[in-house]
Amino acid sequence: MTEGVVYEVNDGIAVLRVDNPPVNALSPHVRLALNELIRKADEDPAIRGVVLTGTGKVFVAGADIKLINMPRTGPTIGDFLAHVEGMRKPVVAAVQGTALGGGFEIALGCHARVALAGNRVGLPEATLGLIPGAGGTQRLPRLVGAAVALEMIVSGRHLEVEEALRLGAVDAVVEDDLLGHAFAWVDRLLARSLLPRARDRQPSGDMTDIEAARTAFDCKAAELGTNGTAATQAAIAAVADSFDRDFDEALAREIEAFTRLRTSPVAQARIHAFLAERAARHVPGVKSDTPRRPVDTVAVIGAGTMGAGIAITLANAGYAVCVVDAAVESLDAARTRINTTYGDLVGRGRMSAGAAETARARLRWFSDLAEGVAEADLVIEAVYEDMDLKKRIFAELSRLAPDHAILASNTSYQDIDALARETARPERVVGMHYFSPANVMKLLEVVRGAATSPQTLASVLDIARRTGKIPVVVGVCYGFVGNRMLWQRTVQTQKLLLEGCSPREIDTVLTNFGFRMGPCQMQDLAGIDVAWRLRKARGERMEPVDTIADAGRWGQKTGKGYYLYPEGVRTGVDDPELLEIVAGVAGRLKVPRRRVGGEEIRKRLLFPLINEGFRIVEEGMVERPGDIDVVYLHGYGWPRDKGGPMHHAETYGLKRLADDLDRMAETLGEEELRPTRFLRELADTGGSLAEIDART
Ligand code: COA
């Protein structure tokens, strides 16, 4: 065995089986082995053909993403395929599992492709800000046509092999005995005078397909107000090459484009996001063999917007859900809201009527807490943010819920340990912080209390994944990770308004950065009155937002907030009256007004937020900096092209960031804006967050 690839001979056919756990990525040793072994098979007169396959659920998952930043060494997949294409012996890909990126490109370069039913293939490089780099942009258009190839490459989507067969990307799909079928293909190809090679075919379609893609892309870019992604443009150019350039010249241009894109900030950010999402699944103390508590029935306490969203999420995933609320009118309202949501989903073709009905039938409604939680394996409390109320509920749940049941709170801020202390089962108390709307947003902050057991955590993480959420485990602190950091942005937004910025100026800076909406638009959507009410109850005030709320401007729901929302307009229209209100508050508070530039706005909105992220890492509230990026990518709309706040800090430069924060603290006279000890230390010692991520 050459490392990473097993070589076996079966009745004169060499089987090359890639075996590089976990996903058979094309690490340097695998590329080396493939190149050596194909030569060995070719040179051995006793071998009449080759079958190439993988091990386990994945055929080959493509380039080794963990090493993608390293300079390429040793023989490449391009070399391997060039050898295959020069061979007189047939080479057949036996695709036994998922074939992605370079994995699928290897298959495209073989003389035939046989796939086991139920698997997927695709070229997902675009999702990483890349294009295929092993001939995919040249061979795929020759097999499926330029239009289909472009769609596949630009979207990066994974296809069922059955669809790939229909399109011509694979030659056969078989239900069983894959190797037997692949051997038969070797013999069938031996009977031909010429071996079929994708490179010898003409791409079907013509330049109008390329022009159509370019136009569609330009329209989309115009609609988004961006120049689009470099990867999309490179993909279109590469597929265009398949028409008007020599095959080998086009291959050389493809790898050139791939190499150029690989070091681009967008690819670096997207690759970081991919790896951070996987790393966040590794939770200290939780292993694959940690025992889980079986959970079938979940009680959701509180039938507000959050409770209803959580109930839908759980019912869709097959859990029996008991929605509990003492107020019968709240239960009725939730039932109506849930019915409307399912109606919308069916209406928009997102769910079949049958599936919606089945999910709805899993919901039961209770006004009595004892009855509602009697059968629960998990209880999720989702009442409003009143700690005394939550404490009372947890004390009652401790008495009423079955002994084995896990008790979770959906609080956005409060102390999970204090809630655990109200119960006789602190090891089965945990935070499950959903984001609104809970049936749509992917992020779930799973809050690990001081006493939360690995078993509880493992069970909750399983439920999160089964319901399609992306869970990130965080520690107990006020606001946890996402909201604690966001608070810094809220504070700066308010200060910027008082200093003279309009909501539009503030929001535009962030939408230009890549967010779908800015802080003022977000508050208008969520409702300005929510935090205003909370502050009122505590006797606190924040300006100018509370004066804006005093004026009945609560956001979209009242038709005006930071912006005006005339009938049917959801994007918001600038309102001079709002500017007058803010100017009035600034005058009253004697805040000097000035013109603030875009760069200052961006730094003030983002850097204090990022600084708080460093504090969170320093306090050990997350396992690794990358976890914060996952929170922001999936819960706060941080643009994937920018990788997340911590990745952004690293790209910007930790030293520059720390110095900027020092300067900001001095010019604004706000000592709390100083870089945290941890940031300053990393900045001064040349440390890096990526190194910390890699260590965990
Ligand atoms: N290179 C290196 N490591 C990879 C990898 C790749 N191409 N693809 C996945 N991995 C790693 C993951 O980081 C994870 O590592 P960990 O166990 O240390 O956390 C492990 O393999 C399992 O991956 P995961 O995504 O959790 O497994 P899955 O079964 O859910 O999905 C795939 C498997 C192959 C569908 C999925 O991993 C995937 O889409 N990979 C990327 C494919 C790709 O984009 N290829 C083109 C590269 S240019």
Side-chain angles (χ1 to χ4, degrees), residues 22-23 25 57-58 61-66 68 98 100-102 124-125 127-128 130 158 258 274-275 278-279 281-282:
V23 292
K57 288 193 297 186
V58 179
D64 189 332
I65 299 179
K66 290 180 178 155
I68 212 159
T98 316
L100 295 176
E125 286 85 350
T127 59
L128 298 174
L130 300 168
H158 302 182
F258 175 89
F274 176 91
L275 292 174
R278 265 106 198 131
R281 295 183 194 159
H282 297 274

Side-chain angles (χ1 to χ4, degrees), residues 387-664:
M387 192 54 174
D388 290 335
L389 174 64
K390 285 182 191 280
K391 280 185 176 170
R392 274 203 308 280
I393 290 176
F394 268 73
E396 279 190 71
L397 289 175
S398 177
R399 239 176 354 95
L400 298 173
D403 242 8
H404 71 272
I406 295 171
L407 307 181
S409 173
N410 172 54
T411 179
S412 312
Y413 297 94
Q414 314 281 4
D415 183 351
I416 296 296
D417 291 333
L419 295 178
R421 283 194 291 275
E422 297 295 318
T423 75
R425 59 181 97 176
E427 69 286 0
R428 288 194 293 287
V429 173
V430 67
M432 289 176 82
H433 179 210
Y434 286 89
F435 289 72
S436 192
N439 51 314
V440 176
M441 296 294 286
K442 290 269 180 222
L443 179 67
L444 181 70
E445 281 185 330
V446 174
V447 190
R448 178 182 212 157
T452 308
S453 69
Q455 195 174 2
T456 299
L457 215 50
S459 310
V460 166
L461 291 170
D462 279 1
I463 294 162
R465 291 190 192 114
R466 187 170 145 194
T467 52
K469 299 296 171 199
I470 297 177
V472 179
V473 175
V474 302
V476 176
C477 56
Y478 191 76
F480 312 125
V481 169
N483 284 343
R484 176 172 160 180
M485 288 168 68
L486 195 71
W487 173 247
Q488 299 295 333
R489 192 177 89 177
T490 307
V491 168
Q492 290 305 321
T493 303
Q494 295 304 311
K495 291 192 167 166
L496 286 165
L497 287 165
L498 288 177
E499 286 167 39
C501 296
S502 71
R504 182 72 63 196
E505 282 172 309
I506 293 174
D507 286 339
T508 305
V509 165
L510 283 201
T511 49
N512 285 346
F513 184 80
F515 282 90
R516 295 260 299 281
M517 55 178 103
C520 299
Q521 287 155 331
M522 202 172 115
Q523 282 188 49
D524 268 0
L525 179 69
I528 293 179
D529 56 315
V530 184
W532 169 70
R533 255 184 258 281
L534 278 176
R535 278 192 291 273
K536 251 191 176 171
R538 291 199 215 113
E540 294 168 4
R541 243 182 122 71
M542 184 172 209
E543 294 295 6
V545 64
D546 286 346
T547 301
I548 295 171
D550 288 343
R553 304 180 67 117
W554 294 351
Q556 290 194 16
K557 61 178 144 187
T558 55
K560 54 182 177 178
Y562 288 102
Y563 299 95
L564 281 181
Y565 300 89
E567 199 60 28
V569 178
R570 291 184 58 194
T571 43
V573 175
D574 294 349
D575 182 10
E577 194 184 304
L578 182 278
L579 300 182
E580 277 168 34
I581 294 176
V582 175
V585 182
R588 181 157 47 81
L589 299 177
K590 304 200 168 34
V591 180
R593 311 273 281 169
R594 66 190 173 99
R595 176 105 223 106
V596 186
E599 192 185 342
E600 181 180 343
I601 296 178
R602 182 174 48 77
K603 288 184 175 177
R604 285 179 60 187
L605 292 177
L606 298 183
F607 289 0
L609 174 152
I610 293 173
N611 200 25
E612 193 66 30
F614 279 89
R615 200 167 283 125
I616 283 169
V617 177
E618 185 177 359
E619 289 173 12
M621 291 297 153
V622 286
E623 182 55 20
R624 53 188 82 74
D627 290 359
I628 294 180
D629 290 333
V630 180
V631 165
Y632 263 77
L633 289 168
H634 295 287
Y636 294 84
W638 192 283
R640 204 171 176 83
D641 285 354
K642 298 266 176 16
M646 307 312 280
H647 177 80
H648 186 60
E650 189 108 304
T651 321
Y652 183 74
L654 301 186
K655 176 90 174 69
R656 258 173 99 197
L657 174 65
D659 291 349
D660 278 357
L661 281 162
D662 267 333
R663 224 167 293 126
M664 214 184 273

Side-chain angles (χ1 to χ4, degrees), residues 163-180:
E163 184 186 355
L165 174 69
R166 260 196 325 278
L167 295 172
V170 302
D171 299 294
V173 172
V174 300
E175 295 290 332
D176 50 25
D177 190 23
L178 177 69
L179 281 189

